């Protein structure tokens, strides 16, 4: 998930459209703050504020729920990279 920090904002917006909100909340609940901020920066201020509030009050998801949410995000990101709708700013692993 940390590689998504290098994603372009337009690509992040495409990624956000492809992720169900509940899965996004589970993945971001325990994510690195840099990863969280990357997602929030691709959203409107209002949407980011609502998401932050929802995450703050939710109970911690189970590890397998977090992993499933992260895998969905990464799978969607890889598809968008293949479709050239999401790009990373530096060369590196696709994960």
């Amino acid at each position: 998930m940390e590689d998504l920090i290098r994603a372009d904002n337009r690509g992040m917006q495409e990624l956000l459209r492809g992720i169900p909100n509940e899965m996004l909340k589970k993945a971001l609940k325990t994510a690195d703050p840099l990863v969280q901020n990357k997602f929030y920066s691709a959203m409107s201020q209002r949407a980011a504020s609502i998401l932050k509030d929802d995450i703050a009050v939710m109970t911690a998801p189970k590890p397998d729920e977090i992993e499933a949410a992260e895998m969905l995000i990464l799978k969607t990101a890889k598809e968008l990279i293949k479709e050239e709708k999401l790009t990373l700013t530096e060369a590196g692993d696709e994960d």
Side-chain angles (χ1 to χ4, degrees), residues 2 5 8 13 16 25-26 28 44 47 51 57 59-60 65 67 77 82 88 90 93 95:
E2 287 78 19
I5 294 168
D8 64 307
Q13 291 169 356
L16 284 167
K25 286 190 251 182
K26 288 177 184 177
L28 292 182
S44 70
L51 182 60
V57 298
T59 59
E65 293 175 327
E67 183 177 350
K82 286 180 185 174
L88 301 179
E90 301 173 11
D93 293 333
D95 297 330

Side-chain angles (χ1 to χ4, degrees), residues 13 15 28 42 51 58 64 69 85 94-95:
Q13 291 169 356
L15 180 60
L28 292 182
L51 182 60
M58 75 183 282
D64 59 326
K85 294 182 179 178
E94 288 184 334
D95 297 330

Side-chain angles (χ1 to χ4, degrees), residues 68-84:
E70 289 176 347
M71 290 297 112
L72 175 66
I73 291 171
L74 294 175
K75 179 183 175 193
T76 304
K78 286 180 182 181
E79 290 170 4
L80 291 172
I81 289 169
K82 286 180 185 174
E83 296 171 8
E84 297 182 1

Side-chain angles (χ1 to χ4, degrees), residues 5 8 10-11 14 19 26-27 33 36 39 56 71 81 86:
I5 294 168
D8 64 307
R10 179 170 274 155
E14 282 288 329
I19 305 298
K26 288 177 184 177
Q36 291 174 342
F39 278 90
M71 290 297 112
I81 289 169
L86 182 134

Side-chain angles (χ1 to χ4, degrees), residues 3 6 9 20 24 35 44 46 59 69 93-94:
D3 284 342
R6 299 178 300 140
N9 280 340
L24 184 60
V35 174
S44 70
R46 183 171 185 258
T59 59
D93 293 333
E94 288 184 334

